[in-house]
């Protein structure tokens, strides 16, 4: 199965900082890559699909880049409401697999 | 406003089965391609299976083959996930989620709509 590896597993940053999360696929997946945000006790929320397209209603401080095997999610200016765990997920083929998650906290 | 409303938490003994429901409220199940994802406490997300919108077949992750059955009742707009022969490692929150084609005429799919989750605890 395709494996998705995220890094770092956690990070702490100040409000206003630029934050970047990395996701690497074990095989090339084009741009079949999605990003989700999950707050404690809640279901995941789709942020970005097709590697770089912002889901409707998602703030523009979120952006995604990459293709092939290497992808990034960037928060341009971290806000307190962005405290959450972020997951990448490939949609290249089944089984769909997720990265292990990156927990983002405020310093 | 459309919502996916899941059934309440369950506590089961090892070896038992559990059936979790996911009702489409304010809409029709036929508009959804329902999939199931689980999350063990403090862990990541794991895809269980779901409906392939291209051919209507149900797909399952290999590790759940033979132990999970996904069904739908369109008369009540409800999807079901039944997991049998439960073990302690099955303790998790189980989510239903809609797999949507996000780009017209291009196969970019994503889980765009989620239920609130159902906690299943397996304990003797």
């Amino acid at each position: 199965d395709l494996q998705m590896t995220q890094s770092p597993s956690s990070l702490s940053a100040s409000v206003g900082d630029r934050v970047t999360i990395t996701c690497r696929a074990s095989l090339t997946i084009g741009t079949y890559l999605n990003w989700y945000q999950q707050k404690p006790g809640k279901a995941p929320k789709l942020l970005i699909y097709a590697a770089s397209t912002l889901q409707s209603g998602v703030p523009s401080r979120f952006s995604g880049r990459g293709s092939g095997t290497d992808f990034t999610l960037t928060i341009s200016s971290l806000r307190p409401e962005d405290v959450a765990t972020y997951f990448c997920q490939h949609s290249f083929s089944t089984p769909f697999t997720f990265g292990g998650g990156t927990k983002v906290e405020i310093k | 406003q459309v919502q996916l409303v899941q059934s309440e938490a369950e506590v089961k003994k090892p070896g038992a089965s559990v059936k979790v429901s996911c009702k489409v409220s304010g809409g029709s199940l036929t508009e959804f391609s329902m999939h199931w994802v689980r999350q063990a406490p403090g862990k990541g997300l794991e895809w269980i299976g779901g409906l392939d919108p291209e051919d209507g077949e149900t797909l399952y992750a290999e590790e759940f083959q033979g132990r999970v059955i996904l069904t739908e009742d369109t008369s009540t707009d409800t999807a079901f996930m039944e997991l049998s022969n439960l073990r302690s490692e099955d303790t998790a929150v189980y989510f239903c989620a809609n797999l949507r084609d996000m780009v017209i005429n291009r196969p970019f799919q994503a889980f765009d709509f989620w239920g609130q989750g159902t906690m299943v605890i397996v304990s003797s």
Side-chain angles (χ1 to χ4, degrees):
Chain A
D1 295 348
L2 253 167
Q3 303 299 317
M4 308 300 293
T5 304
Q6 275 183 248
S7 61
S9 57
S10 65
L11 66 90
S12 181
S14 299
V15 172
D17 281 355
R18 183 181 185 86
V19 169
T20 297
I21 298 167
T22 297
C23 179
R24 175 164 288 174
S26 59
L27 297 171
T28 185
I29 58 170
T31 55
Y32 292 94
L33 192 283
N34 306 315
W35 289 97
Y36 300 86
Q37 175 194 65
Q38 186 180 33
K39 297 186 177 181
K42 300 293 187 182
K45 172 189 171 184
L46 177 64
L47 294 179
I48 287 170
Y49 60 91
S52 61
T53 304
L54 213 59
Q55 171 69 332
S56 176
V58 174
S60 60
R61 64 181 179 275
F62 291 93
S63 64
R65 295 190 64 179
S67 67
T69 60
D70 295 315
F71 303 86
T72 58
L73 171 70
T74 298
I75 308 173
S76 61
S77 179
L78 187 67
R79 296 174 64 95
E81 58 264 38
D82 300 334
V83 169
T85 300
Y86 294 83
F87 294 93
C88 61
Q89 173 244 330
H90 81 81
S91 61
F92 184 75
S93 62
T94 55
F96 301 126
T97 51
F98 295 81
T102 297
K103 188 174 184 179
V104 174
E105 298 176 320
I106 300 290
K107 193 181 294 182
Chain B
Q1 181 183 357
V2 178
Q3 288 184 297
L4 300 181
V5 181
Q6 296 187 226
S7 48
E8 296 296 314
E10 302 256 17
V11 180
K12 296 291 184 180
K13 293 194 181 301
S17 297
V18 67
K19 192 169 186 177
V20 179
S21 68
C22 173
K23 181 174 175 59
V24 179
S25 173
S28 172
L29 181 60
T30 57
E31 299 169 351
F32 288 78
S33 174
M34 205 66 78
H35 286 242
W36 294 83
V37 175
R38 77 176 184 181
Q39 186 172 37
K43 301 296 185 182
L45 299 163
E46 183 176 25
W47 178 73
I48 296 170
L51 187 70
D52 185 341
E54 290 190 9
D55 59 16
E57 294 296 312
T58 303
L59 306 170
Y60 298 103
E62 187 173 344
E63 74 165 278
F64 297 100
Q65 287 272 8
R67 223 167 46 98
V68 68
I69 299 174
L70 304 182
T71 56
E72 296 186 349
D73 181 349
T74 53
S75 69
T76 61
D77 293 312
T78 305
F80 300 92
M81 184 223 54
E82 184 170 17
L83 186 62
S84 60
N85 194 20
L86 290 167
R87 34 210 189 227
S88 58
E89 309 90 88
D90 295 318
T91 294
V93 176
Y94 290 76
F95 295 99
C96 57
N98 178 52
L99 184 70
R100 184 175 301 279
D101 287 333
M102 303 301 295
V103 181
I104 294 173
N105 295 327
R106 298 200 67 190
F108 288 107
Q109 298 174 315
F111 298 113
D112 72 331
F113 213 69
W114 296 67
Q116 84 276 18
T118 296
M119 182 75 211
V120 174
I121 296 172
V122 183
S123 174
S124 54

